[in-house]
């Protein structure tokens, strides 16, 4: 049975914004290895549209960016959206009956399925489907933006904490 994990980079004050801060080379390497090992990813529409950047190579990319793109492209993706009409390569659109589809993925796959997007994570949390939350805490204060938690959470218990690179702490919580 697969495990659903919602994880994103987050500021000290609780916001996610890929334009305000990015991963160090060490953290980016961590994300490459993580993408290689995932059973797949489930995205909300907005984050999926951001991640589509990795669908095509760019001449200015470093070797590490090419590695991440290859890992991201190779894994299956499911996109939850009622407004999109189609999705890119190796992706499946989920328009209705999200709970049944996600429960089916959990039952059928083995390993971790990454959940992408705070609003999607809220919906899946409300359904009791998220198995772990990974907060990659950066030493940045944004003061505003999209919060990591888009709504109330059930009680959580700290399961692990790791320093990644010089300044990012990965906190892993599970439902208590």
């Amino acid at each position: 049975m697969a495990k659903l994990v919602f994880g994103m980079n987050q500021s000290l004050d609780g916001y996610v914004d890929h334009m305000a801060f990015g991963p160090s080379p060490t953290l980016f390497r961590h994300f490459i290895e993580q993408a290689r090992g995932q059973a797949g990813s489930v995205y909300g529409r907005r984050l999926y549209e951001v991640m589509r950047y990795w669908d095509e190579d760019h001449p200015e990319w470093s070797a590490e960016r090419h590695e991440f793109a290859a890992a991201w492209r190779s894994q299956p993706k499911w996109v939850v959206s009622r407004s999109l009409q189609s999705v890119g390569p190796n992706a499946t659109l989920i328009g209705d009956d999200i709970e049944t589809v996600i429960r089916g993925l959990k039952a059928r796959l083995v390993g971790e399925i990454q959940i992408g997007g705070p609003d999607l994570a809220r919906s899946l949390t409300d359904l009791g489907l998220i198995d772990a939350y990974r907060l990659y805490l950066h030493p940045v204060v944004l003061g505003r933006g999209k919060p990591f938690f888009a709504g109330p959470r059930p009680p959580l218990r700290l399961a692990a904490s790791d320093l990644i690179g010089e300044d990012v702490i990965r906190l892993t919580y599970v439902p208590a």
Side-chain angles (χ1 to χ4, degrees), residues 22 26 32 50 57-58 61 65 71 81 109 111-112 115 129 133 151 176:
T26 302
I32 293 169
V50 169
D57 288 335
H58 297 264
W61 279 1
R65 287 182 173 259
S81 174
L109 299 176
E112 287 190 358
I115 301 301
L129 293 173
Y133 301 85

Side-chain angles (χ1 to χ4, degrees), residues 47-56 58 72 86-89:
L47 187 56
Y48 176 70
E49 288 175 336
V50 169
M51 294 300 290
R52 291 289 313 266
Y53 168 80
W54 299 104
D55 273 341
E56 295 181 23
H58 297 264
W72 188 80
S86 64
V87 290

Side-chain angles (χ1 to χ4, degrees), residues 136-158:
Y136 290 86
L137 201 57
H138 291 253
V140 175
V141 175
L142 298 179
R144 60 183 152 73
K146 183 78 168 173
F148 180 91
F149 289 111
R153 299 290 115 215
L156 300 175
R157 177 181 55 80
L158 182 65

Side-chain angles (χ1 to χ4, degrees), residues 18-126:
H18 72 282
M19 298 301 286
F21 56 91
S24 68
T26 302
L27 183 58
F28 195 68
R29 169 61 48 198
H30 167 82
F31 289 143
I32 293 169
E33 297 307 320
Q34 185 180 46
R36 284 183 177 149
Q38 291 170 336
S41 294
V42 179
Y43 291 101
R45 180 192 53 83
R46 284 186 286 276
L47 187 56
Y48 176 70
E49 288 175 336
V50 169
M51 294 300 290
R52 291 289 313 266
Y53 168 80
W54 299 104
D55 273 341
E56 295 181 23
D57 288 335
H58 297 264
E60 71 277 6
W61 279 1
S62 65
E64 288 80 15
R65 287 182 173 259
H66 284 285
E67 278 185 80
F68 180 83
W72 188 80
R73 290 175 194 156
S74 69
Q75 67 175 244
K77 292 166 275 300
W78 295 268
V79 182
V80 177
S81 174
R82 290 189 180 98
S83 60
L84 289 177
Q85 298 300 309
S86 64
V87 290
N90 208 14
T92 302
L93 186 61
I94 303 171
D96 294 313
D97 205 7
I98 298 164
E99 182 176 8
T100 300
V101 173
I102 301 302
R103 285 190 189 282
L105 292 175
K106 280 186 77 162
R108 184 170 40 98
L109 299 176
V110 174
E112 287 190 358
I113 300 172
Q114 178 70 28
I115 301 301
D119 293 325
L120 174 61
R122 178 183 183 169
S123 296
L124 296 177
T125 295
D126 291 346

